[in-house]
Amino acid sequence: MQRPYNFSAGPAAIPEDVLRQAASEMLDWHGSGMGVMEMSHRGKEFISIYEAAEAGLRSLLAVPPEFKILFMQGGGLAENAIVPLNLSRAAGVDFVVTGSWSQKSQKEARKYAAEVNIAASGEASGFTTLPDPASWTPSVGASYLHICSNETINGVEFHELPDLKALGSDAPLVIDFSSHVASRPVDWSRVGLAFGGAQKNLGPAGLTIVVVREDLIGQALPACPSAFDYQLVADNRSMYNTPPTWGIYMAGLVFDWLARQSEGEGAGEVRGIAAMERRNIAKAELLYGAVDGSGLYYNKVAPNCRSRMNVPFFLRDEALNDAFLAGARERGLLQLKGHKSVGGMRASIYNAMPLAGVQALVDYLREFEKTRA
Ligand SMILES: *Cc1c(COP(=O)(O)O)cnc(C)c1O
């Protein structure tokens, strides 16, 4: 039986193969007589799960050896505090504000950093465009510059990470990649730290991934909670305290699933993240094309910075919103209601959403428009 297509922004759909595998291992993981949730995090069974998950992520995202991978708790929001606690060195920090999430991040950083400089903002456009990096004004001596590389609520995405050195800044780049991690490759030569909650693209809520360049850690502020001190977490291989064991296991299954994905044939075949990127581009083109080509729906974001993961769209007649959502639910198209701060609709089409799911949504968009014409 075909499960409904779930367009939730997060916690979001998980590949069905992964859910089935987790279900089949729920009571007895690999003949151990235990489910993963019941295992000691220090036992050999869980250590092997942890090591496979870490190696899986490192290989998928081509994380260089000088970066540590940390499996933490607290979500993206906690990282808004944990990053300045670890990296600000009580100096100034820079932010580029491109939507709700980076806005939240810079507010939180004010509690810990000596100064927060807004190096650029997309607010004047209502966050429908990204400020051109050439226009940014990074401050001298900032401890880091933070961006949200995919704004989940506003639907804007950096298709290329900024090269801060080319902008005359020595600051390491911090990216919040919660909502597009593993949807495309990462250019680590431009990144100092990347963090993301798992519940959009990697697995269940409760696991937070941090990938950080070694030389940036070890200078946490004295007030930093020990459990959130990147150096302590790294030295203890994410086992300073009990890590989110179930989330790590599930993310490990998702990494295996991602590694198995392929697109194209013969010499043109690509696998893993390259395959996901190709598929995600095709999905996004299909959906934006249908929205742009219609008389009923529209999207406000400038085409060159539209998110491939989160597609907010509106009905020209807002009075039809409830009927649209009810019809969608009837067809097994779930969780399309937009974020309360933006309104309208939002289709989140993360890695776990197949092209067929986007096609089903596009078919429904056309059908609904026809019945209202
Ligand atoms: C969902 C999300 C967060 C918040 O994550 P929590 O786990 O709820 O703290 C932060 N940043 C971005 C870009 C997100 O999409």
Side-chain angles (χ1 to χ4, degrees):
M1 196 190 78
Q2 170 68 53
R3 295 179 80 221
Y5 291 116
N6 180 353
F7 295 89
S8 172
I14 291 176
E16 187 169 331
D17 290 351
V18 168
L19 294 176
R20 290 192 189 286
Q21 188 177 344
S24 76
E25 295 176 345
M26 180 69 81
L27 302 187
D28 181 7
W29 182 82
H30 294 202
S32 66
M34 302 175 278
V36 174
M37 279 184 271
E38 307 167 302
M39 289 174 181
S40 164
H41 57 296
R42 311 217 181 262
K44 67 176 189 330
E45 293 88 357
F46 185 75
I47 299 279
S48 75
I49 290 171
Y50 163 85
E51 286 177 345
E54 185 190 351
L57 182 62
R58 195 174 282 282
S59 145
L60 265 180
L61 288 185
V63 178
E66 67 271 23
F67 283 77
K68 301 279 191 193
I69 291 177
L70 311 178
F71 293 131
M72 300 182 66
Q73 310 202 40
L77 229 53
E79 290 301 327
N80 285 342
I82 298 170
V83 172
L85 279 163
N86 277 275
L87 261 53
S88 73
R89 305 176 190 185
V93 296
D94 285 352
F95 278 79
V96 173
V97 177
T98 54
S100 304
W101 286 112
S102 46
Q103 189 71 276
K104 272 204 172 107
S105 301
Q106 66 86 10
K107 276 195 190 136
E108 185 75 1
R110 288 174 196 273
K111 296 185 182 174
Y112 307 102
E115 208 186 318
V116 169
N117 167 51
I118 305 300
S121 170
E123 196 162 8
S125 74
F127 299 124
T128 59
T129 64
L130 288 171
D132 178 0
S135 71
W136 296 4
T137 55
S139 58
V140 179
S143 297
Y144 61 85
L145 184 148
H146 174 125
I147 65 170
C148 176
S149 44
N150 183 65
E151 289 278 3
T152 321
I153 293 174
N154 306 83
V156 294
E157 178 173 6
F158 284 90
H159 292 293
E160 190 187 349
L161 294 177
D163 179 358
L164 295 188
K165 282 207 182 62
L167 302 178
S169 169
D170 286 328
L173 179 68
V174 169
I175 64 172
D176 173 357
F177 67 173
S178 296
S179 53
H180 71 164
V181 53
S183 71
R184 62 180 225 205
V186 176
D187 181 353
W188 293 106
S189 74
R190 295 186 174 182
V191 173
L193 181 148
F195 71 83
Q199 71 270 25
K200 315 287 165 62
N201 232 350
L202 301 180
L207 166 66
T208 314
I209 304 259
V210 176
V211 183
V212 58
R213 225 174 57 211
E214 242 161 15
D215 64 288
L216 298 176
I217 63 178
Q219 300 189 65
L221 301 180
C224 181
S226 305
F228 293 153
D229 181 328
Y230 291 144
Q231 186 74 59
L232 275 177
V233 176
D235 288 348
N236 289 280
R237 300 198 67 195
S238 301
M239 308 255 186
Y240 178 72
N241 66 330
T242 313
T245 54
W246 174 255
I248 292 170
Y249 159 72
M250 288 295 289
L253 297 184
V254 171
F255 301 152
D256 292 345
W257 179 85
L258 287 168
R260 292 197 299 273
Q261 301 306 299
S262 67
E263 287 288 325
E265 277 166 40
E269 188 186 59
V270 290
R271 295 186 156 270
I273 295 296
M276 290 320 305
E277 183 179 40
R278 197 183 284 184
R279 192 180 300 167
N280 287 327
I281 289 172
K283 281 152 53 183
E285 279 177 357
L286 177 61
L287 183 49
Y288 284 112
V291 168
D292 289 345
S294 91
L296 179 59
Y297 314 102
Y298 67 102
N299 167 284
K300 301 178 186 175
V301 178
N304 65 346
C305 47
R306 286 175 169 178
S307 169
R308 291 175 192 151
M309 298 281 101
N310 308 100
V311 182
F313 64 93
F314 300 84
L315 276 63
R316 288 189 198 279
D317 181 358
E318 298 263 319
L320 296 176
N321 283 356
D322 289 345
F324 176 87
L325 287 167
R329 265 192 309 275
E330 262 170 40
R331 282 158 187 77
L333 307 171
L334 307 182
Q335 308 205 66
L336 282 163
K337 193 173 173 154
H339 189 271
K340 59 183 187 302
S341 69
V342 172
M345 308 297 153
R346 174 173 50 169
S348 293
I349 50 175
Y350 298 120
N351 285 342
M353 175 63 63
L355 184 64
V358 178
Q359 187 62 58
L361 173 58
V362 165
D363 292 344
Y364 173 60
L365 290 176
R366 296 202 173 117
E367 182 194 319
F368 184 82
E369 182 171 0
K370 241 185 243 151
T371 62
R372 307 290 144 165

